[in-house]
Amino acid sequence: MKNLDYGVIGNCRTAALVSKEGSIDWLCLPDFDSPSVFTRLLDEEKGGSFAFLVSGEYVVTQTYLGNTNILSTRFEAPEGAFTVLDYMPRYRTSEKSHYLPPEVHRYLRVLYGKPKMRILYDPKMNYAGEEAVHTVFPNYIRTSSAVDAEDKIYLYSSVNFDVILSGEEFTLTDHQFFLLSYNQKLVAIDENRVLLDYERTKVYWLNWINRSREYRQYGDMVNRSMLVLKLMSYQHSGAMLAAVTTSLPESIGETRNWDYRFCWLRDASMSIDTLLHMKHQGTAERFIGFIKRILKSREDTFQIMYGIRGERELTEEILSHLAGYENSYPVRIGNAAYNQLQNDSLGYLMDVIYKYYLYFPGTLDEVEEIWEVVRNMVRMVLKSWRSPDQSIWEFRTRELNFVFSKVMSWVALDRASLIAELLHKDNYAELWRKEANGIKEEIHEKGWNEELQCFTQAYENTDHDSSLLLMQFYDFIDARDERYVKTVKAIKENLFHNGLMYRYKAEDDFGKPTSSFTICTFWLIEALFVIGETDQAREIFESMITYSNHVGLYSEDLDFETKRQLGNFPQAYSHLAFINTATLLSEEKKLSRFIRP
């Protein structure tokens, strides 16, 4: 059974997936959302990769180098052993500037003996839609597209270029390096330069994680998830990616294949909330800057998602030449969900903005700018909250009065009222509090099903929905409230299967869901914990730990039977939920993280 046994490397500009055998099977250059140059992840025959091929009795193991985003793949056999250190350079050049070029460094260290290998350097340009043409220069190999000669990458290496391109076997007698860059380098590239970037990058990540909160339990796993979230923060805008891949299927052979290389307000706001809690205010502050930039005027409306530079049109296309991950067709780029109505989205964002005002409100002009954003958001919520929407789950052909969308609309107005109080805008605070109370009253009246004794997915149905487990997390209802406790138990009884959670069971646009949405199981763990079912919560959590891959990474989904990872990878949603749950169980902290003045 194939699994997503990949490590991820990145530098807050782009990222690559490296298989547990050391093959780069996914890399987009120069940015996260650029066309891929290695696409084997989505087509094993056509996609292309960058690998070190060994024969014989080699044992291959892979780990991260401590608390960094540097990946170490060790090849060991009686004849010799070597380690591949993969990373993307990232380090500070001044207090406010970073060096984060669109490039991958691969450093080979000989450990003992005389290991033999072949190099497979097989880039395929533009999502493997265009053949690559290699041209050898004295200092590098330039690879360009056969269709567009200006689309090119550069490989610098200490290994003979003919050996690289021919794929012939050679003996590794000394340390070697490979530097694959989107740009031609303006400085001399040699081993010393590569090692300098390596040490600077290692120090950067160690310093970054050192600023995080520390936990006695699950500390190493929390740190790994923190490093993944940071890696997926786009430095140039502050946007947070949902994942670094496209079209990894939620279920093998089905068509639930989406491009996640974008910034959802929901996912990003949840990630920023977690980073704030873990004492990383800088990343959160950059995201607030992203929000300010996408609202260029008071009349601008919010979308549920944006491109990583703030793009509003994310036209969806199918790449018909690619077979898909394990032949799960189609492969998509772009995402048509960008124009959906999802009334929950602004609630998460307003929650983050409230924390912005509490923790680092900035200068007076910045505070005033964000206040305009808040008022604009409130206008949108007041206009839309009564309308049916497509929910947190992004149904493409269904609009209902989803209860959780109403809850998050309440969150938006509740936090807006608190922000107004902080700014001594009492008239706004009173008006918005009145509207928030009206939403809450309606939810308790129409969202609660007296016969089932629980809150249901929508006013119009009696379905169960995992998103309702979050009602207490956002302070809509007390964790000890009888209605919440009954809802948690009903959701668990109906959606918990083989140790994992369904999002919902009812048929959607593509039939009945057949895989577990990873974050939902973490939501259940937290919900059980706060209602007092602590032993159940810990038991499920300990099982979830074993479902991460070999380097501690989570995808979007898990197979109910085999527990294999499915869906886009690594998934920010899954990792932020792991952090929240791990810290809850580690600290046994108060029932809500929400802070009121």
Side-chain angles (χ1 to χ4, degrees):
M1 179 188 70
K2 186 176 179 181
N3 195 25
L4 287 171
D5 290 327
Y6 286 92
V8 63
I9 59 172
N11 60 359
C12 304
R13 178 167 183 178
T14 188
L17 296 186
V18 185
S19 76
K20 64 179 180 180
E21 293 84 20
S23 173
I24 297 179
D25 290 347
W26 178 255
L27 171 64
C28 298
L29 290 175
D31 298 312
F32 288 114
D33 59 348
S34 300
S36 57
V37 296
F38 299 120
T39 317
R40 186 171 183 267
L41 182 71
L42 297 178
D43 194 311
E44 293 193 11
E45 293 184 8
K46 300 178 184 175
S49 61
F50 186 0
F52 303 111
L53 305 178
V54 294
S55 56
E57 301 295 322
Y58 277 89
V59 175
V60 185
T61 56
Q62 190 175 67
T63 60
Y64 278 101
L65 189 68
N67 286 323
T68 75
N69 279 317
I70 299 172
L71 195 63
S72 172
T73 309
R74 181 185 176 105
F75 295 75
E76 192 166 8
E79 67 185 47
F82 65 96
T83 294
V84 182
L85 295 171
D86 284 312
Y87 64 97
M88 291 184 176
R90 178 177 174 82
Y91 51 84
R92 289 187 179 275
T93 55
S94 67
E95 184 177 342
K96 293 187 177 182
S97 299
H98 293 79
Y99 180 68
L100 56 153
E103 62 191 41
V104 175
H105 291 202
R106 316 200 76 184
Y107 186 64
L108 276 62
R109 282 181 174 166
V110 179
L111 302 178
Y112 63 81
K114 295 182 178 181
K116 294 181 179 180
M117 68 160 62
R118 293 186 296 112
I119 297 168
L120 174 64
Y121 177 62
D122 185 27
K124 299 288 181 64
M125 313 304 284
N126 193 14
Y127 299 109
E130 300 165 6
E131 288 299 317
V133 177
H134 301 298
T135 306
V136 176
F137 290 83
N139 299 321
Y140 55 81
I141 300 169
R142 186 186 71 194
T143 302
S144 57
S145 164
V147 176
D148 180 3
E150 294 304 310
D151 183 12
K152 49 187 177 287
I153 54 178
Y154 302 84
L155 180 68
Y156 298 80
S157 180
S158 54
V159 176
N160 181 276
F161 294 164
D162 291 334
V163 170
I164 294 173
L165 294 177
S166 68
E168 67 183 72
E169 187 174 70
F170 70 103
T171 301
L172 193 62
T173 58
D174 201 355
H175 306 328
Q176 306 289 348
F177 73 85
F178 300 83
L179 188 161
L180 178 62
S181 176
Y182 182 76
N183 299 318
Q184 185 178 8
K185 304 303 291 181
L186 298 180
V187 297
I189 302 301
D190 55 21
E191 185 177 4
N192 289 333
R193 176 72 191 189
V194 170
L195 286 176
L196 179 61
D197 280 352
Y198 165 76
E199 294 294 345
R200 286 171 167 170
T201 300
K202 180 173 70 174
V203 168
Y204 171 83
W205 289 119
L206 291 173
N207 282 336
W208 187 85
I209 204 66
N210 188 56
R211 299 197 299 272
S212 302
R213 293 180 186 270
E214 296 182 6
Y215 297 92
R216 294 178 187 174
Q217 289 180 282
Y218 317 118
D220 289 344
M221 291 176 283
V222 168
N223 286 344
R224 176 53 47 207
S225 290
M226 288 290 297
L227 287 161
V228 170
L229 289 184
K230 173 61 177 176
L231 180 153
M232 292 195 288
S233 171
Y234 186 57
Q235 180 75 30
H236 296 322
S237 70
M240 291 286 299
L241 273 78
V244 305
T245 57
T246 179
S247 301
L248 294 183
E250 295 179 21
S251 297
I252 299 299
E254 296 188 10
T255 59
R256 300 172 191 261
N257 314 328
W258 317 111
D259 193 345
Y260 275 15
R261 297 171 298 161
F262 303 111
C263 179
W264 272 258
L265 292 185
R266 175 192 307 113
D267 303 40
S269 298
M270 284 183 165
S271 298
I272 295 301
D273 178 67
T274 298
L275 287 163
L276 268 176
H277 177 69
M278 297 298 291
K279 303 173 70 172
H280 288 285
Q281 295 187 359
T283 305
E285 196 165 8
R286 279 191 291 277
F287 178 65
I288 295 295
F290 174 75
I291 295 301
K292 288 192 293 187
R293 285 189 292 275
I294 62 177
L295 293 176
K296 296 181 173 60
S297 75
R298 298 178 187 179
E299 289 72 37
D300 281 345
T301 57
F302 282 91
Q303 299 180 179
I304 66 162
M305 59 191 289
Y306 297 84
I308 58 176
R309 298 161 209 85
E311 299 95 332
R312 287 176 170 265
E313 293 189 16
L314 310 175
T315 305
E316 190 173 295
E317 303 175 40
I318 291 177
L319 301 181
S320 58
H321 64 281
L322 292 174
Y325 181 84
E326 287 204 19
N327 296 313
S328 297
Y329 184 82
V331 172
R332 295 179 172 96
I333 57 172
N335 196 308
Y338 75 91
N339 57 8
Q340 285 189 1
L341 176 64
Q342 296 176 20
N343 288 334
D344 63 302
S345 292
L346 295 185
Y348 317 99
L349 181 56
M350 193 75 83
D351 189 55
V352 169
I353 292 176
Y354 169 62
K355 292 179 175 69
Y356 164 84
Y357 274 105
L358 281 181
Y359 298 133
F360 46 96
T363 61
L364 178 59
D365 60 327
E366 290 172 340
V367 170
E368 290 172 347
E369 285 182 19
I370 296 296
W371 174 241
E372 289 298 322
V373 172
V374 168
R375 292 171 63 202
N376 190 11
M377 290 170 62
V378 168
R379 284 192 289 269
M380 288 191 64
V381 173
L382 292 177
K383 181 180 178 181
S384 66
W385 78 264
R386 291 179 178 84
S387 302
D389 74 322
Q390 291 162 291
S391 91
I392 184 175
W393 306 125
E394 299 185 353
F395 295 116
R396 293 197 166 197
T397 60
R398 179 185 307 175
E399 291 188 3
L400 297 173
N401 285 284
F402 290 99
V403 172
F404 189 64
S405 294
K406 310 292 185 186
V407 169
M408 293 312 295
S409 295
W410 173 86
V411 169
L413 295 185
D414 175 77
R415 304 309 192 261
S417 177
L418 293 175
I419 292 168
E421 289 176 8
L422 287 173
L423 299 178
H424 307 292
K425 296 291 186 181
D426 295 337
N427 290 338
Y428 285 102
E430 183 178 349
L431 175 63
W432 296 344
R433 173 62 53 206
K434 181 179 178 181
E435 294 287 344
N437 290 340
I439 297 176
K440 178 175 279 193
E441 289 174 6
E442 181 180 294
I443 294 170
H444 279 284
E445 177 187 349
K446 298 182 179 180
W448 174 261
N449 187 296
E450 188 65 28
E451 182 179 347
L452 296 178
Q453 286 290 292
C454 66
F455 288 100
T456 56
Q457 182 185 63
Y459 293 170
E460 299 90 340
N461 66 30
T462 57
D463 296 337
H464 298 278
D465 192 309
S466 288
S467 64
L468 297 172
L469 297 169
L470 289 174
M471 296 171 83
Q472 67 81 28
F473 183 87
Y474 285 102
D475 209 42
F476 176 83
I477 194 170
D478 191 278
R480 292 155 295 199
D481 188 295
E482 184 180 14
R483 286 188 167 194
Y484 180 70
V485 174
K486 288 182 176 180
T487 298
V488 172
K489 292 181 177 180
I491 289 174
K492 180 176 183 292
E493 181 180 352
N494 286 274
L495 300 183
F496 191 60
H497 175 66
N498 279 358
L500 299 171
M501 286 289 289
Y502 283 96
R503 286 171 285 184
Y504 48 84
K505 279 187 176 178
E507 285 198 15
D508 58 22
D509 313 320
F510 303 94
K512 288 187 176 182
T514 58
S515 61
S516 170
F517 204 55
T518 301
I519 195 172
C520 295
T521 306
F522 287 124
W523 290 346
L524 175 68
I525 294 166
E526 177 164 349
L528 290 171
F529 189 87
V530 299
I531 68 171
E533 304 286 347
T534 56
D535 290 341
Q536 280 191 59
R538 289 188 182 280
E539 181 181 351
I540 299 170
F541 183 73
E542 292 296 332
S543 295
M544 284 297 291
I545 289 174
T546 67
Y547 305 150
S548 68
N549 76 0
H550 65 297
V551 287
L553 303 186
Y554 288 96
S555 64
E556 180 189 33
D557 304 273
L558 289 165
D559 184 274
F560 279 109
E561 308 305 323
T562 65
K563 307 304 190 285
R564 69 177 293 185
Q565 297 210 33
L566 299 164
N568 282 304
F569 174 89
Q571 179 81 357
Y573 230 1
S574 302
H575 282 279
L576 71 90
F578 175 86
I579 295 167
N580 292 343
T581 309
T583 55
L584 176 71
L585 270 60
S586 179
E587 288 185 326
E588 297 197 6
K589 56 186 178 175
K590 59 185 179 180
L591 296 182
S592 175
R593 276 203 334 215
F594 179 62
I595 303 168
R596 291 183 180 273

